[in-house]
Amino acid sequence: MKDVIIGLFASAGYDRAAQGVAGAGRKLAAELGGKLHAVLLGVADEATKSAVASVVDVLTIADQAALQEYQTENYLSALAEICKAKQPAAVLLSNDTYSQELAPRLAHRLGGSAGADGLALSVVDGKVRVTRSVYGGKAMASIELKKSPAVVWLRSRAFDTAPARGTQAEISQATVELPAQLSATITERKVEAGDEARLEDAKIIVSGGRGLGGSEPFIELRKIADILGAQMGASRAACDSGWVPPSWQIGQTGKKVAPGLYIAVAIHGASQHLAGMSDSKCVAAINIDKDAPIFKHCRFGIVEDYRKVVPLLIERLKELKK
Amino acid sequence: MALNIIVCLKQILDPEIPVRDFRVDAEKKEAVRGSANLVTNIFCENALETALQLKEKVGGKITVISYGADSAEDSLRKALAMKADAAIHLLNEGNPHPDALTVAQTLAAAIRKQGEYDLVMVGRESGDWGVGQTGGLLAEELAIACVNFVDAITATDSGLTCNRQTDVGADTVVAKTPLVVTVTNNEFNVPRIPKTRDVMMSYRQPLTKWTIADLGLTPDEMNAGNSYYEVVDLYIPVKEINCEFAEGDTLEDRVDKFAQKIIEVTGTM
Ligand SMILES: Cc1cc2nc3c(=O)[nH]c(=O)nc-3n(C[C@H](O)[C@H](O)[C@H](O)COP(=O)(O)OP(=O)(O)OC[C@H]3O[C@@H](n4cnc5c(N)ncnc54)[C@H](O)[C@@H]3O)c2cc1C
């Protein structure tokens, strides 16, 4: 029981989240002295398969017809069956909706322990420890998962990507037994229009708050994001006001992000917002109020009305980017 | 279809307490209460609100259950004031920080003991430890289905239809009963504020109290220490961040400094 399994969804491809999970998995496997396995659920394209195969030691593909689309009980059964056979020390998942749904139930079926929203992993006396933020981001905790395997979902962006190995993984196909009938079935999937790559995976995020006063200023912020190759985010106040879609929301009840640079424009820095972004590597803010709590988390900032700053900033960034 | 609904409530330290007043006890590995209030976890209240609306449409009964210290009675009384029908307090004797599995096992035992049920609702996570596993573990303990991140439920003759929030939008999930759901917030399940009269009345309503032994669980086993996970360290991270404010005589100068910094940081990524 030294191996580490990463559970990936084919539908997501080998995205930044998967890369972070693989990176965390590689380090953990090295610490435990075991191999890194990937289980790819669903029908993956060749690019995804070969990308995953280049970073793990063993790749198991479970792509039978019933696994084409996520259904909780099917995915749970598949992962549980494959993991049972491999007896890993740890199973790592991303922090997307479905992984979070699966993790505790998988842990229960494997007789293991689950850990939430890991920002770092370590092994002490053979047991996996998860470092995570608690109390709405006000404190950090280190939690020892006492039963093996340790099933952990990770804030994927907080982990470096896995290095390529130079050799391809050993690949096998698994056909698993699935429940004859589902007790809960996803019958419709709505995708919000205009949703791009996952915000959780963004390198740079430009985020706007209630201080912007409406949806129009977000069009201006988008220009900054475009220059920097960034994605857009928002505080709950801006989402609740209907200025931007709910999927942009960052915070305790929104997305948990950890980009390299987070630019907060007219965001106050309420604890619930910080809970989603305080693990960003660098935070910068534009706010009219120098005492806004967001500045306590900033590496640099500017105290000024965004309406004056943003147009100049767009011009200046354009020049500097040339 | 009248529904027998169980809503699980957790009482937590008020998450609104200002950062400057927040302390942790590193020995006990818990937050110091100080002068902060204890409140019902907001997602649990979203769950109760969703339950109340569902009952208003299809009829049935709502039982609220809380596993916790004596003070958890306040959360249960508030739920009664919001018009839950019955309340059960699972007394937490000697295990101030039960792990997620202990909580799920205790709740599952109580849910079985109280009799028939169609739907069990829990908050998607708590505002203190934010573990987000109670629903999933509870479903496994009860051997029934679970749908996470639900923000609306409608009842049909064949079962329950849940709207589940996802990373990219929403799923419609059709489920048979009995079912566990974890509830998240939306603009329609903002918890109602109970009327003063109902708050007063709630203190006269009966409240069932069960001990671990009443549930047929051995107190020793449940209190022996947590076997699922253990908090080994709790601390407030020292973030020695001194914000460097863009300075300069003119606005242009300052924006220029700010822009330079952005380019500098993005250049190292
Ligand atoms: C259970 C619960 C969960 C929550 N979850 C989340 C969550 O996930 N994410 C989240 O963000 N919030 C969440 N909140 C809400 C949170 O408490 C705050 O209300 C919210 O984050 C405030 O958003 P804001 O900073 O954009 O707005 P405000 O607090 O209104 O702040 C606006 C800021 O803009 C500045 N400003 C105003 N005008 C200008 C200008 N012209 N130029 C520059 N700056 C200006 C102001 O100085 C101020 O700092 C949650 C709340 C609860 C109770």
Side-chain angles (χ1 to χ4, degrees):
Chain A
M1 300 227 290
K2 289 178 176 169
D3 292 355
V4 174
I5 296 181
I6 57 171
L8 304 176
F9 300 137
S11 57
Y14 189 56
D15 62 359
R16 180 60 182 86
Q19 291 166 28
V21 174
R26 175 53 76 197
K27 277 180 86 175
L28 192 62
E31 254 187 90
L32 291 160
K35 282 187 180 164
L36 179 62
H37 298 243
V39 175
L40 195 51
L41 295 157
V43 182
D45 53 35
E46 287 309 316
T48 302
K49 279 188 228 171
S50 80
V52 176
S54 70
V55 294
V56 302
D57 305 308
V58 184
L59 168 60
T60 306
I61 295 170
D63 60 0
Q64 65 207 69
L67 295 178
Q68 253 184 41
E69 289 206 310
Y70 176 87
Q71 290 291 354
T72 314
E73 289 157 31
N74 282 343
Y75 271 46
L76 191 54
S77 294
L79 259 184
E81 186 181 318
I82 296 167
C83 290
K84 255 183 204 148
K86 292 178 181 278
Q87 299 267 315
V91 183
L92 307 181
L93 301 163
S94 160
N95 66 344
D96 55 84
T97 316
Y98 297 153
S99 295
Q100 288 184 46
E101 182 167 66
L102 295 176
R105 302 186 68 187
L106 180 67
H108 195 281
R109 288 186 189 192
L110 298 175
S113 299
D117 201 23
L119 290 168
L121 296 173
S122 61
V123 182
V124 179
D125 296 333
K127 294 258 188 299
V128 175
R129 287 187 180 184
V130 182
T131 304
R132 55 182 303 255
S133 106
V134 294
Y135 288 100
K138 291 189 193 78
M140 293 291 283
S142 172
I143 292 157
E144 179 178 289
L145 301 181
K146 299 179 104 173
K147 295 182 177 201
S148 182
V151 180
V152 189
W153 71 89
L154 304 172
R155 208 174 295 183
S156 329
R157 183 83 215 179
F159 294 86
D160 292 335
T161 59
R165 285 167 58 253
T167 52
Q168 287 281 302
E170 178 192 309
I171 302 181
S172 66
Q173 204 84 17
T175 307
V176 292
E177 205 170 312
L178 298 174
Q181 263 197 338
L182 299 182
S183 311
T185 312
I186 301 175
T187 55
E188 196 189 333
R189 291 162 218 270
K190 280 180 244 120
V191 176
E192 263 167 33
D195 211 79
E196 314 144 42
R198 276 169 29 105
L199 199 50
E200 287 91 332
D201 305 339
K203 254 182 160 171
I204 306 172
I205 294 173
V206 178
S207 198
R210 175 152 47 203
L212 292 175
S215 57
E216 298 278 302
F218 277 93
I219 300 170
E220 297 304 304
L221 290 193
R222 167 82 77 183
K223 292 182 187 160
I224 297 177
D226 286 345
I227 298 167
L228 299 173
Q231 276 185 255
M232 298 288 295
S235 71
R236 172 153 159 197
C239 297
D240 282 355
S241 305
W243 302 337
V244 294
S247 60
W248 288 25
Q249 187 184 315
I250 289 166
Q252 187 192 332
T253 44
K255 310 245 153 112
K256 309 266 193 326
V257 300
L261 175 63
Y262 188 88
I263 306 177
V265 186
I267 291 178
H268 193 58
S271 69
Q272 295 92 352
H273 187 77
L274 296 171
M277 50 62 73
S278 60
D279 295 301
S280 304
K281 293 199 181 64
C282 175
V283 179
I286 303 172
N287 200 301
I288 203 162
D289 171 12
K290 75 168 184 355
D291 295 323
I294 188 75
F295 283 128
K296 297 223 161 53
H297 299 263
C298 279
R299 213 170 317 145
F300 59 100
I302 183 163
V303 181
E304 193 61 71
D305 191 326
Y306 83 87
R307 283 170 289 202
K308 293 191 201 152
V309 175
V310 170
L312 290 172
L313 186 61
I314 293 169
E315 289 318 311
R316 200 65 198 104
L317 286 174
K318 265 191 208 154
E319 287 164 32
L320 289 167
K321 267 279 174 182
K322 262 192 220 145
Chain B
M1 176 167 90
L3 291 170
N4 241 322
I5 307 173
I6 312 272
V7 181
C8 302
L9 302 174
K10 183 181 184 187
Q11 191 186 48
I12 62 168
L13 189 75
D14 189 351
E16 298 294 325
I17 122 171
V19 176
R20 62 174 179 279
D21 296 339
F22 184 81
R23 308 261 182 290
V24 297
D25 183 327
E27 279 298 298
K28 290 190 188 152
K29 305 193 177 66
E30 63 182 26
V32 176
R33 182 172 166 194
S35 57
N37 293 327
L38 296 173
V39 299
T40 308
N41 179 40
I42 180 74
F43 292 121
C44 299
E45 287 204 331
N46 294 134
L48 177 57
E49 179 59 39
T50 309
L52 290 163
Q53 291 178 19
L54 191 56
K55 184 192 144 182
E56 280 158 12
K57 289 212 188 80
V58 300
K61 179 183 177 195
I62 297 172
T63 304
V64 286
I65 302 184
S66 187
Y67 173 41
D70 291 345
S71 57
E73 199 179 310
D74 295 340
S75 283
L76 292 168
R77 298 270 176 215
K78 185 177 177 201
L80 289 170
M82 286 166 78
K83 293 290 184 204
D85 301 286
I88 305 172
H89 184 180
L90 309 178
L91 301 169
N92 179 353
E93 309 139 312
N95 188 359
H97 304 295
D99 64 32
L101 186 62
T102 305
V103 172
Q105 286 170 337
T106 308
L107 290 172
I111 290 167
R112 282 196 206 96
K113 184 179 165 83
Q114 64 78 49
E116 304 246 310
Y117 63 95
D118 302 297
L119 176 61
V120 179
M121 304 171 78
V122 306
R124 73 175 238 197
E125 64 185 57
S126 62
D128 50 1
W129 286 88
V131 173
Q133 297 187 29
T134 307
L137 293 174
L138 193 50
E140 289 297 309
E141 287 290 323
L142 296 169
I144 60 177
C146 180
V147 185
N148 280 45
F149 306 117
V150 170
D151 66 4
I153 304 177
T154 49
T156 63
D157 287 337
S158 55
L160 299 168
T161 303
C162 307
N163 188 66
R164 175 247 290 287
Q165 293 180 9
T166 68
D167 298 320
V168 295
D171 288 345
T172 304
V173 190
V174 176
K176 296 194 190 98
T177 55
L179 174 71
V180 176
V181 297
T182 82
V183 177
T184 190
N185 61 316
N186 75 8
E187 60 196 290
F188 303 111
N189 67 9
V190 177
R192 64 194 62 189
I193 295 165
K195 295 195 189 83
T196 313
R197 194 190 122 82
D198 292 331
V199 173
M200 277 153 53
M201 293 296 286
S202 76
Y203 282 87
R204 294 202 209 139
Q205 278 168 269
L207 195 139
T208 305
K209 286 181 189 281
W210 284 336
T211 61
I212 294 296
D214 290 334
L215 298 175
L217 304 168
T218 54
D220 278 356
E221 211 173 76
M222 297 310 280
N223 296 334
N226 299 310
S227 62
Y228 188 70
Y229 59 61
E230 189 186 335
V231 179
V232 287
D233 202 6
L234 177 69
Y235 57 97
I236 296 175
V238 253
K239 280 202 177 156
E240 287 290 334
I241 307 185
N242 261 330
C243 181
E244 194 181 316
F245 288 105
E247 301 205 22
D249 292 338
T250 65
L251 176 67
E252 282 75 11
D253 283 352
R254 286 184 287 138
V255 173
D256 179 50
K257 294 251 167 56
F258 189 70
Q260 299 267 11
K261 279 266 167 204
I262 290 177
I263 295 297
E264 194 183 304
V265 172
T266 56
T268 62
M269 277 163 35

